[in-house]
Amino acid sequence: MMAIIMALLSGFAGVYTEAIIKKRPSRNINVQNFWLYVFGMIFNIIAIFVQDFDAVMNKGFFHGYSPIIVLMIINHALSGIAVSMVMKYADNIVKVYSTSVAMLLTAVVSVFLFNFHLSLAFFLGSTVVLVSIYLHSIGKLQR
């Protein structure tokens, strides 16, 4: 039940985000990103004050950050910018498909780099994703 609720909320959030970004096409994409992420920043600041206030005050906000962590933060920031560009110039379905393909490619790379073993469920899910991408692209071509 929670997975269904999570999927519905994620879908609604994606459509809402797309609507906000496309509402004013003349607005700079960086300004739109700022306003979309203000809420996330506010909630994260509240979480820091509630959960980690003493640790942040004693050790500093950046305590424990390694170069790998900094690279991960930069990667996520760039991914957010890429997603916002996809949402502005394409649509939410393209974003979902690109995320799905990225997960598939990550899993395949993990097999070679980390000896990760893929399950039957992965192959079935991959098949569903690839077939849905194919059917979506055929529908776009027929229009």
Side-chain angles (χ1 to χ4, degrees):
M1 186 64 176
M2 290 305 291
I4 292 171
I5 291 171
M6 185 179 75
L8 288 172
L9 289 176
S10 176
F12 287 135
V15 171
Y16 179 70
T17 303
E18 181 181 356
I20 288 174
I21 288 175
K22 290 183 177 178
K23 185 177 183 179
R24 295 187 186 163
S26 62
R27 183 180 280 174
N28 185 333
I29 197 164
N30 293 322
V31 173
Q32 289 177 330
N33 278 338
F34 173 78
W35 287 113
L36 283 172
Y37 295 121
V38 162
F39 296 108
M41 292 186 302
I42 291 169
F43 285 114
N44 283 319
I45 289 170
I46 292 169
I48 288 170
F49 279 117
V50 170
Q51 295 179 351
D52 298 322
F53 182 76
D54 293 333
V56 170
M57 288 297 129
N58 293 333
K59 297 178 181 176
F61 183 77
F62 296 106
H63 175 74
Y65 279 42
S66 67
I68 296 294
I69 300 298
V70 173
L71 287 174
M72 288 176 63
I73 292 169
I74 292 169
N75 181 41
H76 284 322
L78 293 174
S79 295
I81 291 169
V83 165
S84 66
M85 291 178 80
V86 167
M87 297 289 270
K88 184 168 180 125
Y89 300 112
D91 59 12
N92 191 45
I93 294 173
V94 173
K95 179 191 77 88
V96 171
Y97 283 148
S98 63
T99 303
S100 300
V101 170
M103 287 190 294
L104 293 175
L105 293 175
T106 301
V108 170
V109 169
S110 296
V111 168
F112 296 109
L113 292 179
F114 308 117
N115 289 331
F116 184 70
H117 298 287
L118 302 176
S119 66
L120 177 62
F122 174 81
F123 287 111
L124 293 175
S126 300
T127 303
V128 169
V129 167
L130 294 174
V131 168
S132 69
I133 290 172
Y134 173 74
L135 293 174
H136 183 262
S137 65
I138 292 296
K140 292 267 186 184
L141 291 175
Q142 290 177 352
R143 290 183 197 169

